[in-house]
């Protein structure tokens, strides 16, 4: 990627609107327009126009197929992450001239400067969910949380997390909502044990099986008894997921 001048960034944003009217909404973050700051031939990094008094903005990644995801908490965090990663060899240039990554060292620098990124993901979800409660909105949250979890950033218990878990739990209980599997994936990233235990009784076999698997994966030992009860589930897929979960419990003790 290379840095864009302000003039080039504005021009690129205008090009999106003119040439991609049908997918113009993709180039918004929680309903706000974005301004590209870096680009390659297939992807962008951009900041978000929040309001007149904003002092910082999350840095988001826009993929070659128009998918938007969080990348850094703000521009300063991005530059500091990059600088420290090169200093510690978390990022380095290979003999062939490619940028390579030492995942462990890069993750250490990323955690240092982007610890608040999970809150940004939760805030975005709560802003856009009332207007768009499709599976895509839930999937966006899952992708953001999966990335932050992969770097070892914990999601502390907070009122923000509680609101998201409650929102997802209510969605899981809505019989008209048919993407419960996606909801369970997010509850897994949030380590929402109580909600996942409730998911074990869901009418959908997909939800029951993933909830059981998730509880084993996140080492929720307080849920062993509830998971074990599904060994009698009428669906073979659920039974298999329960066996895998119980095996994970045994291996993690």
């Amino acid at each position: 990627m290379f840095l864009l001048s302000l003039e080039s960034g504005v021009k690129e944003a205008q090009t999106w609107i003119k040439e991609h009217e049908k997918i113009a909404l993709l180039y918004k973050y929680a309903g706000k327009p974005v301004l590209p700051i870096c680009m390659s031939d297939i992807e962008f990094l951009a900041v978000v126009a929040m309001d007149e008094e904003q002092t910082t903005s999350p840095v988001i990644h826009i993929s070659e197929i128009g998918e938007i995801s969080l990348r850094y908490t703000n521009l300063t965090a991005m530059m500091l992450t990059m600088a420290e990663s090169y200093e510690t060899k978390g990022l380095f240039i290979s003999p062939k001239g490619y940028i390579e990554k030492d995942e462990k060292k890069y993750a250490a620098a990323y955690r240092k400067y982007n610890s608040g990124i999970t809150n940004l993901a939760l805030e975005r979800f709560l802003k856009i969910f009332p207007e768009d409660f499709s599976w895509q909105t839930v999937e966006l949250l899952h992708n953001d949380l999966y990335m932050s979890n992969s770097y070892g950033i914990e999601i502390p218990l907070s009122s923000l997390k509680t609101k998201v878990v409650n929102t997802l739990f209510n969605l899981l209980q809505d019989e008209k909502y048919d993407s419960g599997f996606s909801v369970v994936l997010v509850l897994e990233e949030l380590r929402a044990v109580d909600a996942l235990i409730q998911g074990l009784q869901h009418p959908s076999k997909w939800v029951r099986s993933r909830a059981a698997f998730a509880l084993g994966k996140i080492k929720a030992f307080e849920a062993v008894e509830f998971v074990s009860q599904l060994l009698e589930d009428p669906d073979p897929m659920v039974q298999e997921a329960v066996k895998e979960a119980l095996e994970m419990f045994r291996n993690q003790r």
Side-chain angles (χ1 to χ4, degrees):
M1 286 191 172
F2 57 88
L3 286 169
L4 293 168
S5 65
L6 179 58
E7 181 181 357
S8 297
V10 171
K11 183 178 179 180
E12 189 63 42
Q14 291 172 336
T15 299
W16 291 345
I17 297 173
K18 292 178 182 178
E19 298 184 3
H20 307 285
E21 288 187 30
K22 292 183 179 180
I23 59 172
L25 290 177
L26 290 175
Y27 298 107
K28 289 187 176 181
Y29 180 92
K32 300 294 183 179
V34 299
L35 177 70
I37 55 173
C38 299
M39 68 176 293
S40 69
D41 56 340
I42 59 172
E43 58 184 343
F44 299 88
L45 290 177
V47 292
V48 185
M50 296 298 215
D51 56 56
E52 294 180 357
E53 297 181 358
Q54 79 182 73
T55 56
T56 63
S57 160
V59 177
I60 61 172
H61 175 259
I62 303 175
S63 73
E64 64 271 22
I65 58 175
E67 291 180 337
I68 289 182
S69 60
L70 276 168
R71 187 56 57 91
Y72 303 98
T73 54
N74 52 56
L75 189 57
T76 301
M78 181 183 86
M79 302 304 289
L80 290 172
T81 300
M82 293 291 185
E84 186 160 318
S85 294
Y86 278 108
E87 290 173 355
T88 61
K89 305 300 182 182
L91 293 172
F92 56 93
I93 307 297
S94 71
K96 293 184 178 181
Y98 296 108
I99 297 177
E100 301 287 351
K101 182 187 293 184
D102 180 310
E103 294 290 350
K104 186 175 182 179
K105 292 180 180 179
Y106 179 80
Y110 190 90
R111 286 194 300 271
K112 183 175 179 179
Y113 299 109
N114 297 276
S115 60
I117 200 163
T118 53
N119 281 343
L120 292 176
L122 298 178
E123 288 172 356
R124 176 176 68 162
F125 174 77
L126 291 173
K127 285 180 180 177
I128 63 179
F129 181 78
E131 297 182 4
D132 182 5
F133 50 88
S134 66
W135 67 267
Q136 289 97 331
T137 299
V138 178
E139 184 67 19
L140 283 173
L141 178 58
H142 173 257
N143 291 342
D144 288 341
L145 295 177
Y146 179 83
M147 181 200 69
S148 61
N149 283 342
S150 70
Y151 289 127
I153 296 178
E154 296 184 1
I155 305 175
L157 182 61
S158 64
S159 59
L160 195 60
K161 177 182 175 180
T162 300
K163 288 180 182 179
V164 171
V165 170
N166 289 340
T167 299
L168 293 170
F169 178 74
N170 291 335
L171 195 59
L172 197 61
Q173 302 304 306
D174 186 350
E175 295 181 358
K176 297 180 181 178
Y177 189 76
D178 60 358
S179 297
F181 186 85
S182 298
V183 173
V184 172
L185 291 178
V186 180
L187 292 174
E188 177 186 319
E189 296 296 336
L190 290 169
R191 303 181 68 84
V193 175
D194 291 341
L196 288 171
I197 290 175
Q198 292 294 323
L200 296 173
Q201 305 302 318
H202 198 275
S204 168
K205 64 180 181 181
W206 301 100
V207 172
R208 295 198 305 277
S209 60
R210 185 64 200 192
F213 185 87
L215 288 165
K217 184 178 178 182
I218 65 175
K219 308 177 185 178
F221 293 108
E222 63 268 44
V224 172
E225 180 181 352
F226 299 100
V227 173
S228 299
Q229 292 173 3
L230 284 189
L231 285 169
E232 304 289 330
D233 193 276
D235 191 277
M237 184 181 72
V238 177
Q239 294 176 18
E240 188 60 32
V242 169
K243 291 176 183 177
E244 290 183 40
L246 294 175
E247 185 64 26
M248 283 188 280
F249 282 128
R250 283 191 288 268
N251 291 338
Q252 292 165 358
R253 286 193 182 276

